[in-house]
């Protein structure tokens, strides 16, 4: 209809996909690779999982600068993951604005309609506003616990950088430590109780200066190829970084939308 009305090509995609695309092209992904270069680390990241947390829970996947649409335009629909805390519901019921408010109200004994908005709950958790601090911390920790399970599952299939955007991403100082902790918690075997890694990789908090240094510092070495004089670079470490949007969610979506439209015009 729009093409017929305005006589221009029209392309449609959702904000979760376009956010991920913008961050992959001009946001967190190239910033990480720039820091790796500065540290003289030859490793480079090409894949990115972007998620937005706000009114709802959305996502997008970029593989080597290519946005994954899927065969049914349903790629990256991360909100359809099962909620690990309440298995009959979707992940979005624990990873959204309404989730943070619901848990705060439950813990503080307040009706949902009377609960503070997430920004105020964040301030309460940080001790910057009066209120029930324990309830505030519980609300963010519950969101982080659900988010950690979903991200650990998703990144195990993608293997790359994770970037978080949306209205709740600004609360990262209060939820990111729990998120990383939960992503790195081990599994326990049913038969013998033996623990093993939750993921093939280790998650790092890219918003923490020390973690960022550890994530980007040169960690590999040259090893000799057997039966030859040849040497090749080998890095045994497997790391995924989790950070918050560098462009701002709206700007990342706009950049992603422009890039998406330009790619479609080439076809």
């Amino acid at each position: 209809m729009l093409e017929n009305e305005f006589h221009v090509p029209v392309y449609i995609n959702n904000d979760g996909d376009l956010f991920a695309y913008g961050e992959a092209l001009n946001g967190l992904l190239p910033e990480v690779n720039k820091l790796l270069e500065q540290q003289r680390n030859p490793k480079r990241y090409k894949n990115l999982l972007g998620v937005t947390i706000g009114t709802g829970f959305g996502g997008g996947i970029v593989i080597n600068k290519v946005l994954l649409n899927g065969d049914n335009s349903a790629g990256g629909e991360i909100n359809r993951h099962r909620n690990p805390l309440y298995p009959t519901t979707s992940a979005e019921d624990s990873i959204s604005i309404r989730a943070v408010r619901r848990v705060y109200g439950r813990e503080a004994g307040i009706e949902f309609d009377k609960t503070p908005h997430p920004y105020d709950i964040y301030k309460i958790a940080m001790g910057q506003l009066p209120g029930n601090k324990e309830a505030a911390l519980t609300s963010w920790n519950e969101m982080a616990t659900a988010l950690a399970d979903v991200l650990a599952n998703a990144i195990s299939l993608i293997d790359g950088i994770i970037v978080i955007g949306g209205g709740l991403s600004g609360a990262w100082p209060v939820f990111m430590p729990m998120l990383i902790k939960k992503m790195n918690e081990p599994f326990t075997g049913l038969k013998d109780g033996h623990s093993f890694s939750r993921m093939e990789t280790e998650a790092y908090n890219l918003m923490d200066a020390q973690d960022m240094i550890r994530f980007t510092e040169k960690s590999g070495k040259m090893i000799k190829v057997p039966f030859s004089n040849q040497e090749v670079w080998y890095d045994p470490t497997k790391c995924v970084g989790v950070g918050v949007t560098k462009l701002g969610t709206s700007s990342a979506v706009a950049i992603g939308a422009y890039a998406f439209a330009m790619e479609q015009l080439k076809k």
Side-chain angles (χ1 to χ4, degrees), residues 78-101:
I78 200 165
N79 67 310
R80 296 310 175 96
H81 276 244
R82 187 178 299 278
N83 188 329
L85 302 177
Y86 309 97
T88 60
T89 70
S90 79
E92 190 171 87
D93 280 324
S94 285
I95 310 170
S96 58
I97 288 173
R98 66 181 183 273
V100 173
R101 293 184 65 195

Side-chain angles (χ1 to χ4, degrees), residues 52 178 195 218:
T52 55
M178 178 63 76
S195 64
K218 192 174 181 180

Side-chain angles (χ1 to χ4, degrees), residues 149-170:
D149 190 72
V150 173
L151 293 184
N153 287 334
I155 205 63
S156 292
L157 297 177
I158 299 163
D159 188 17
I161 299 296
I162 299 173
V163 60
I164 302 171
L168 297 185
S169 62

Side-chain angles (χ1 to χ4, degrees), residues 5-113:
E5 185 69 24
F6 296 105
H7 307 292
V8 295
V10 174
Y11 308 104
I12 297 175
N13 210 318
N14 69 59
D15 56 348
D17 286 332
L18 300 178
F19 165 74
Y21 203 24
E23 286 288 337
L25 297 177
N26 292 97
L28 183 62
L29 187 62
E31 178 175 296
V32 167
N33 285 329
K34 181 180 178 181
L35 291 171
L36 287 166
E37 183 179 6
Q38 290 174 355
Q39 295 258 48
R40 297 184 178 180
N41 188 335
K43 189 172 187 175
R44 297 293 182 271
Y45 284 81
K46 299 179 181 179
N47 306 322
L48 178 136
L49 168 66
V51 297
T52 55
I53 310 170
T55 305
F57 180 39
I61 298 167
V62 181
I63 305 295
N64 197 18
K65 296 185 179 181
V66 177
L67 179 63
L68 175 67
N69 289 311
D71 291 328
N72 298 287
S73 295
E77 293 294 339
I78 200 165
N79 67 310
R80 296 310 175 96
H81 276 244
R82 187 178 299 278
N83 188 329
L85 302 177
Y86 309 97
T88 60
T89 70
S90 79
E92 190 171 87
D93 280 324
S94 285
I95 310 170
S96 58
I97 288 173
R98 66 181 183 273
V100 173
R101 293 184 65 195
R102 185 190 72 245
V103 176
Y104 182 86
R106 182 192 72 202
E107 295 296 312
I110 301 173
E111 294 180 11
F112 180 84
D113 292 342

